[in-house]
Amino acid sequence: MSSVPPPIPATDAERRLHPWSWLFVLIMQLRQYLLPLAALLVFGQRGDRDPLWAQLIPLIVIACLVLASVLQYLSYRYRIGEDGITIRSGVFARNRREIPFARIHNVVVDQNPLHRLFGVAELRLESAGGNRPEAEMRVLRMDEALALEQRVRHRGPVMVNPVADGDPGTPPPLPETDTRHVLLRMSSIEVIKLGMLSNRGWVMVAAALGALVQVVPRDRMDTFVEYGGREAFGYANGLQPGITGMLVIAAVLLLAGWVALRVLSVLLALLRYYGFELSEQQRRLTVSTGLLSKVRSSVALRRIQAWTLSETTLQRWAGRRQLSVDSAASQGNDEQQQRGLRELAPLAAPADCDALVQHLLPTVQWPPALWHPVALRGSWRLCVTSLWLTPLLAAGLTWRWGGMGLLVLAWLPVALWTARLQMARIGWHLDDRYVALRGGWWRRWWRWAELDKLQALRLSRSPLDRLLGTSSVWLDTAGARGDVALCLRYLPQAQAAEVLEQLGRALARRQLRW
């Protein structure tokens, strides 16, 4: 995918999508109905006893999808104006959408292998909030998609100078230039490391099992499992390997499964992150990535609401971390929507992640010089489920199998020990620029947001908080939906009230920037 966009086109009349747009819409719809159609074709036939209309149902469904795709192409119009884009769509119910460029927070240009074959791309325009993009244009010529992306970059609003907003301590924004700077590139070796250090293979295995359960009838699946298990155990008994041999076979099978999952994880990482490049132009970040499907996603730096650093245990042993962001753009449940600009550094050295943060947030001191810890005396609250569930499980196992069931109680000290380690990792930092928190033990994370991005504050107390005299301060931003909530947990009640008042004063004298 080319990284240099063409010149910005002038304002013109209404346009259609690419002539082959209906084909890509049809393919998308067929993907949604692929499993039901396959199940109907494979398992729904009963031979010559089926009436003719029943055998023609799949063909009728496909014909209806083709007709709907063609009508959608014929009814879709768009017009690129000076300040926004106008979209008309709908066959029976006509819709008109006016999307100002200033309201577009994220632009995603997606190219799968079929797109590349036809020289086209899918374009998604996302704004703050909502579960769907403002516009999904399937499909445009590649030069038109890149031209529209450039138009959004040039027609977006100018950064508001915080000095004019009553915050004299904030320096003016950095000047915008047309120079494109590459901030991070991932080599093939780094992408392979990312696959080795992740568990993405489990996702594919779980998805495959879920598809089998949905497609294959229950009776046939039970027959296959029963017959296969009987054959496998019969073959193993025929070998007569003994206990030692059985343990060796089990170990080999486990090792082979682990290697297969790692290989699958590496393949998935190569497909998604091959050629990963993070660049900056006019204070707008752009990520280009993908081996077969090329994805180009861009977002203005001012739209980033929250930042997250994380590292798993394997990544920590390898000296690597991940840097991701939450932006004020729609984040639906659809996989394609989640492939927008979220990961600034899928895998990088801690020093490189810190340097990237310092470059993008020059007014923020990262990492903080001081982390405020929380009290360890209430660490048992992190394993309260284990504290009541483990004795019940031990009682049930003891009633069923005798004294051996008491061995389950050995989990209690382990749970208390891990809870104490997790509580010891919790910390927070607050100054006149940003608020940050950290946590995690097995998987460590750091999360922060600038005070200018905070929208609302909330003080909450659970029954355990009232028992232990603590409170939690929740922070809300536009579009921050990461895995970890922006919440200062387990603070003493007086300290939580003081933090809430301090943040309230800061928000009252600052203008929201999102």
Side-chain angles (χ1 to χ4, degrees):
M1 182 181 298
S2 175
S3 60
V4 181
I8 303 175
T11 304
D12 56 7
E14 287 188 342
R15 300 181 180 183
R16 292 184 187 271
L17 298 176
H18 193 275
W20 287 108
S21 175
W22 67 271
L23 176 61
F24 291 90
V25 174
L26 174 63
I27 293 175
M28 181 199 66
Q29 293 177 342
L30 287 177
R31 288 175 54 187
Q32 298 176 355
Y33 296 100
L34 180 61
L35 293 180
L37 287 174
L40 183 61
L41 287 173
V42 177
F43 303 106
Q45 301 294 333
R46 294 175 296 178
D48 297 334
R49 295 176 297 169
D50 279 344
L52 180 61
W53 64 266
Q55 299 180 14
L56 293 178
I57 286 179
L59 296 179
I60 295 174
V61 172
I62 293 176
C64 292
L65 293 178
V66 171
L67 179 60
S69 303
V70 174
L71 291 177
Q72 181 174 339
Y73 162 72
L74 294 176
S75 63
Y76 196 100
R77 300 284 195 281
Y78 73 96
R79 178 181 177 273
I80 301 175
E82 288 293 335
D83 301 315
I85 181 172
T86 303
I87 297 178
R88 299 178 184 270
S89 62
V91 179
F92 301 105
R94 300 291 293 172
N95 300 314
R96 173 174 172 173
R97 295 182 65 86
E98 298 285 348
I99 308 174
F101 291 131
R103 295 292 184 261
I104 298 174
H105 291 191
N106 191 18
V107 182
V108 180
V109 182
D110 196 348
Q111 261 195 320
N112 60 35
L114 189 60
H115 289 146
R116 297 165 67 182
L117 179 63
F118 284 85
V120 297
E122 177 183 337
L123 185 75
R124 295 192 298 275
L125 306 177
E126 301 176 346
S127 65
N131 294 323
R132 295 181 59 84
E134 288 294 326
E136 295 180 275
M137 308 179 75
R138 301 184 178 98
V139 287
L140 297 173
R141 291 204 322 262
M142 189 61 195
D143 58 343
E144 293 180 346
L146 293 179
L148 184 53
E149 180 194 35
Q150 188 182 14
R151 174 67 67 88
V152 173
R153 178 183 293 119
H154 281 263
R155 295 298 181 182
V158 180
M159 175 78 77
V160 179
N161 190 342
V163 175
D165 297 335
D167 188 6
T170 304
L174 297 179
E176 295 190 355
T177 64
D178 288 332
T179 306
R180 176 175 171 272
H181 301 282
V182 177
L183 303 181
L184 178 67
R185 279 196 182 100
M186 288 186 65
S187 64
S188 299
I189 300 299
E190 285 296 309
V191 176
I192 293 175
K193 288 182 180 179
L194 174 61
M196 292 293 295
L197 298 175
S198 66
N199 294 315
R200 301 177 186 274
W202 285 107
V203 178
M204 293 299 297
V205 172
L209 292 177
L212 286 176
V213 172
Q214 294 293 329
V215 173
V216 180
R218 178 67 178 273
D219 55 344
R220 300 195 182 188
M221 179 65 75
D222 293 342
T223 302
F224 173 77
V225 172
E226 182 181 357
Y227 178 77
R230 187 185 304 114
E231 290 294 323
F233 281 111
Y235 179 75
N237 290 332
L239 294 178
Q240 297 182 352
I243 297 179
T244 304
M246 291 294 292
L247 293 177
V248 171
I249 292 175
V252 170
L253 291 177
L254 289 176
L255 179 61
W258 181 86
V259 171
L261 288 174
R262 290 300 160 185
V263 171
L264 184 56
S265 297
V266 170
L267 292 177
L268 293 175
L270 287 172
L271 290 175
R272 180 169 181 179
Y273 295 104
Y274 180 82
F276 182 94
E277 180 183 277
L278 171 67
S279 61
E280 179 187 18
Q281 185 179 10
Q282 294 182 324
R283 301 295 288 170
R284 189 176 187 89
L285 301 179
T286 301
V287 165
S288 300
T289 181
L291 179 60
L292 300 179
S293 297
K294 298 289 187 179
V295 178
R296 177 186 173 96
S297 179
S298 64
V299 65
L301 184 58
R302 64 181 176 273
R303 304 300 192 191
I304 296 178
Q305 303 298 299
W307 305 68
T308 304
L309 267 175
S310 62
E311 60 180 21
T312 64
T313 302
L314 290 178
Q315 291 175 347
R316 183 162 63 250
W317 292 344
R320 292 293 185 272
R321 285 179 183 171
Q322 179 186 30
L323 176 62
S324 59
V325 295
D326 296 319
S327 61
S330 62
Q331 298 181 11
N333 296 325
D334 186 79
E335 178 185 358
Q336 295 297 325
Q337 295 180 30
Q338 294 177 353
R339 293 183 64 180
L341 199 157
R342 175 171 171 79
E343 296 170 311
L344 299 187
L347 192 70
D352 294 336
C353 292
D354 293 341
L356 187 58
V357 173
Q358 287 292 342
H359 173 75
L360 298 177
L361 296 177
T363 62
V364 169
Q365 178 187 359
W366 184 263
L370 175 65
W371 288 99
H372 299 282
V374 298
L376 296 178
R377 65 182 182 88
S379 60
W380 56 268
R381 67 191 301 169
L382 300 181
C383 63
V384 65
T385 302
S386 297
L387 293 181
W388 67 265
L389 184 59
T390 303
L392 291 179
L393 182 60
L397 294 177
T398 301
W399 175 78
R400 180 65 177 83
W401 285 291
M404 294 295 294
L406 296 177
L407 294 176
V408 178
L409 296 177
W411 171 249
L412 288 178
V414 176
L416 291 171
W417 176 66
T418 56
R420 188 174 182 85
L421 291 178
Q422 293 181 44
M423 187 67 80
R425 273 282 306 161
I426 296 177
W428 59 277
H429 171 83
L430 175 62
D431 59 23
D432 58 348
R433 301 292 180 200
Y434 72 112
V435 57
L437 53 148
R438 70 177 186 185
W441 168 62
W442 187 256
R443 176 185 178 271
R444 297 182 179 180
W445 52 264
W446 300 259
R447 187 162 169 81
W448 67 94
E450 299 173 87
L451 297 186
D452 294 338
K453 305 300 176 67
L454 300 182
Q455 287 190 319
L457 308 173
R458 177 165 58 93
L459 184 70
S460 67
R461 301 190 71 197
S462 66
L464 282 178
D465 284 323
R466 290 193 291 270
L467 176 64
L468 298 173
T470 58
S471 298
S472 297
V473 179
W474 293 80
L475 315 175
D476 292 331
T477 63
R481 305 170 184 175
D483 299 333
V484 181
L486 278 168
C487 178
L488 307 181
R489 301 178 185 272
Y490 316 134
L491 303 183
Q493 184 176 354
Q495 188 180 41
E498 181 181 352
V499 170
L500 185 70
E501 183 179 357
Q502 181 180 350
L503 287 173
R505 291 196 302 265
L507 266 62
R509 65 173 181 266
R510 288 175 176 267
Q511 180 177 351
L512 178 66
R513 294 189 297 112
W514 64 284

